[in-house]
Amino acid sequence: PLREGIEVRPNGGGDITDELGQFRIYGLAPGDYYVSAVFSPSGEAAGRADYLPTYYPGSASPTEARRITVRLGEEADNINVNLVIASFASVSGRVLNSLNAPVKASLQLSTADPSGLTVGPATAAADGTFAFRHVPPGEYRLGLYGAQSSSGVGAFASFPLGVGDEG
C-alpha cells in the first residue's frame, strides 16, 4: 500500500508520513492552514502516470483546498489527504524570432489559476528548443522573457497552454 514516504506540507512546513500513512506536525501557531501532500519515493524516477501534489481533502487544484483552522491548545484530527493520480506530459517547443531564426530565451510554465504556481523554469538552447518534463494535466501560462527580437529589442511573450489528460 502507498503509505510511507508521503511528504505533508502545511503552508511550507512539513512532515513525512510513517509506515501507516500518519503524520503529526507540532508547534503550529494558532491560525489557518492548507495541507498538501506529495508522494515522491526516494530513488525512483517519475513515471508517465504518477501522483500529483494533492491538497486536503483530495484535489490537485490549490483553489479547491480546504482551509484548516487551528486554535490555541487544539488539535486538528482526521486530516486525510486522498492522493490524486494522473498521466504526465512533456511540454516542448522551439523559440523563433520574426525571421524564423532560433532565439535563446528563458521560459517559465505556471498554473493559470489565481495561485500562479510555477511548474518550472527552462532555458531555450542555442537552437531555440526547450522542454518541461513531468507536467501534470491542467491549464497553464507559458512565459518567455530575456529574448531579443530580430531588431535587437527585448521581447516578452505570455500565452495560455492546456495540457490534457488522455487517461
Side-chain angles (χ1 to χ4, degrees):
L2 174 69
R3 293 187 179 152
E4 191 172 0
I6 297 175
E7 182 178 355
V8 180
R9 297 182 269 183
N11 301 3
D15 193 11
I16 303 277
T17 59
D18 64 16
E19 69 279 359
L20 299 175
Q22 299 174 341
F23 65 94
R24 185 176 186 116
I25 300 169
Y26 297 93
L28 293 176
D32 292 332
Y33 294 89
Y34 292 93
V35 175
S36 65
V38 178
F39 179 65
S40 53
S42 59
E44 290 185 30
R48 173 107 172 87
D50 213 341
Y51 291 94
L52 296 173
T54 305
Y55 300 86
Y56 171 74
S59 173
S61 172
T63 59
E64 295 177 18
R66 187 176 303 157
R67 180 178 37 231
I68 299 164
T69 300
V70 177
R71 292 183 177 76
L72 186 63
E74 291 184 351
E75 291 187 12
D77 293 336
N78 299 315
I79 306 302
N80 299 312
V81 180
N82 299 308
L83 294 176
V84 176
I85 192 166
S87 296
F88 287 81
S90 291
V91 174
S92 60
R94 193 164 180 215
V95 181
L96 303 172
N97 66 18
S98 61
L99 300 175
N100 284 333
V103 175
K104 187 168 183 171
S106 297
L107 299 106
Q108 181 170 304
L109 188 63
S110 303
T111 58
D113 62 39
S115 71
L117 296 173
T118 300
V119 173
T123 302
D127 66 354
T129 58
F130 68 90
F132 294 92
R133 308 268 185 246
H134 206 68
V135 179
E139 297 300 317
Y140 298 92
R141 289 210 65 81
L142 180 61
L144 172 121
Y145 51 95
Q148 290 190 346
S149 68
S150 57
S151 61
V153 177
F156 172 81
S158 176
F159 61 92
L161 174 73
V163 175
D165 186 359
E166 299 292 320

